[in-house]
Amino acid sequence: MTNHDEAATVRPLTLAWVSRHLKVGERIVRTEALHGGLSAEMRKLTIGTRSGGTRDLVLRTFVNVEHAEDWLDREACALSLLPGTGVPAPGLVAVDPTAAHCEYPSLLMTHLAGRTVLDDDGLERRVPLLARQLVAIHALRPAERPREYVTLTTADTVVVPKGADAAAWAAAIDVIRRPPPPYEGRFLHRDFQPGNVLFDVPPSRPADARITGVVDWAATSWGPADLDVAHCSVNLALLHGPAWGLRFPEAYEEAGGVLAADASERLYWLVRDGLASSEEVQVVARTWRGAGRTELTMRAVEERLDAYVTALMDAPG
């Protein structure tokens, strides 16, 4: 077995566990670290088959992460119900949420073709694709609903960026002091954003880009469609500029999605997830720089977040 880099090394107990879930005559011939995840170690495992060919699996490992058992249980449940729905997601191979067999809680799944695309080129084509994919996710009606959504941010934990528009942020914080508005529940991905969507973009025909997969289902929840839309919106705003965050709810509705009818209710969810990003700016900026967006310093991301929140509070209605 060869490693692409040191970070790709699979720990001994986990390696034995993975091997027990391979087909007869198969073996791991190569491991490669996958970068870009915020909370988990991700590795691609190339499996040599009996026929002399290869196939790929992905190993997801949570190392000293709180709530790892819950996250892996939810991801395993989601991956079990998604086959046959038309939503492109990995297939579940095995899960060890309590680290009964592995060094740390782990999940083994099939590997999907495609790659994340975080650059600005072609964004006008990808945003409608993202919107249509999210509408399809929200249309799912599982026999057993996942756990109700959770929002950890409170008015007291928001981190106001240095130099931010103080009046706009104070008004935004007041918005999330209110009780959540009523909503019609939907199946939520809960971390749907460009970093968790895989694309096939033909170099010679970028207009023919298509989504090949949606990954990271560990936060699957039941809640308002507006919350998933808000999460993707703020990520688009930080990655590509506030205008794209403001555009995404429109794209979602154009794709057939239904958001809260009242403007104040829409604002609540957009602001709530926008302010949640204030607590993660450093981690998010570091992850995106590692994925090639080297210009996205913490300060640059803070400035975009401030501009986005200010635009939300200045929007008519």
Side-chain angles (χ1 to χ4, degrees), residues 120 122-128 229 232-251 304 308:
D120 293 336
L123 188 59
E124 68 285 347
R125 167 63 179 163
R126 297 196 305 276
V127 163
V229 171
C232 192
S233 294
V234 69
N235 276 273
L236 286 169
L238 302 186
L239 266 173
H240 306 293
W244 287 105
L246 300 172
R247 166 77 178 104
F248 189 69
E250 298 177 3
R304 286 186 172 183
Y308 175 66

Side-chain angles (χ1 to χ4, degrees), residues 7-312:
T9 302
V10 180
R11 297 173 181 89
L13 292 178
T14 305
L15 186 63
W17 174 76
V18 169
S19 297
R20 289 197 295 272
H21 290 283
L22 301 181
K23 299 174 183 177
V24 175
E26 291 188 332
R27 63 187 181 89
I28 302 172
V29 297
R30 180 182 173 86
T31 64
E32 178 183 348
L34 300 175
H35 302 286
L38 290 179
S39 56
E41 293 179 355
M42 304 292 293
R43 297 175 176 87
K44 183 171 76 170
L45 312 180
T46 300
I47 311 300
T49 66
R50 292 181 63 181
S51 64
T54 61
R55 66 186 182 103
D56 294 327
L57 299 176
V58 173
L59 175 66
R60 180 175 173 89
T61 301
F62 287 102
V63 179
N64 299 325
V65 174
E66 191 178 6
H67 308 304
E69 179 179 352
D70 175 56
W71 286 356
L72 287 183
D73 279 337
R74 278 197 279 169
E75 182 155 31
C77 288
L79 298 186
S80 296
L81 69 86
L82 288 169
T85 64
V87 174
L92 178 67
V93 177
V95 63
D96 182 16
T98 62
H101 308 284
C102 304
E103 285 85 353
Y104 298 100
S106 301
L107 182 143
L108 187 65
M109 56 190 146
T110 58
H111 177 266
L112 297 176
R115 60 182 178 88
T116 56
V117 183
L118 304 182
D119 51 273
D120 293 336
D121 291 344
L123 188 59
E124 68 285 347
R125 167 63 179 163
R126 297 196 305 276
V127 163
L129 296 178
L130 289 169
R132 287 200 291 271
Q133 185 61 75
L134 191 54
V135 170
I137 291 171
H138 291 164
L140 298 176
R141 295 292 181 269
E144 183 176 345
R145 291 182 180 178
R147 189 186 74 175
E148 198 76 7
Y149 78 92
V150 172
T151 57
L152 301 179
T153 299
T154 70
D156 297 324
T157 59
V158 173
V159 181
V160 180
K162 182 179 179 180
D165 185 321
W169 279 75
I173 291 171
D174 282 343
V175 167
I176 68 169
R177 292 187 193 277
R178 302 198 301 257
Y183 62 87
E184 183 177 355
R186 291 285 185 267
F187 183 85
L188 305 182
H189 182 281
R190 199 58 187 95
D191 192 14
F192 185 87
Q193 42 94 2
N196 284 330
V197 179
L198 305 178
F199 284 88
D200 172 36
V201 184
S204 59
R205 301 188 313 279
D208 292 339
R210 63 185 181 89
I211 290 176
T212 58
V214 181
V215 299
D216 194 354
W217 295 84
T220 303
S221 310
W222 188 261
D226 287 78
L227 190 55
D228 257 0
V229 171
H231 189 68
C232 192
S233 294
V234 69
N235 276 273
L236 286 169
L238 302 186
L239 266 173
H240 306 293
W244 287 105
L246 300 172
R247 166 77 178 104
F248 189 69
E250 298 177 3
Y252 179 81
E253 289 188 301
E254 289 166 1
V258 178
L259 296 173
D262 187 87
S264 66
E265 295 178 358
R266 295 189 186 205
L267 180 65
Y268 176 89
W269 298 112
L270 289 167
V271 167
R272 173 164 283 288
D273 214 270
L275 296 184
S277 296
S278 74
E279 302 174 37
E280 301 176 339
V281 166
Q282 184 173 2
V283 175
V284 168
R286 182 174 63 245
T287 300
W288 286 340
R289 287 197 304 274
R293 292 295 303 272
T294 55
E295 79 282 11
L296 292 179
T297 63
M298 181 175 173
R299 185 61 190 145
V301 174
E302 284 182 328
E303 290 174 350
R304 286 186 172 183
L305 179 59
D306 177 38
Y308 175 66
V309 170
T310 300
L312 288 177

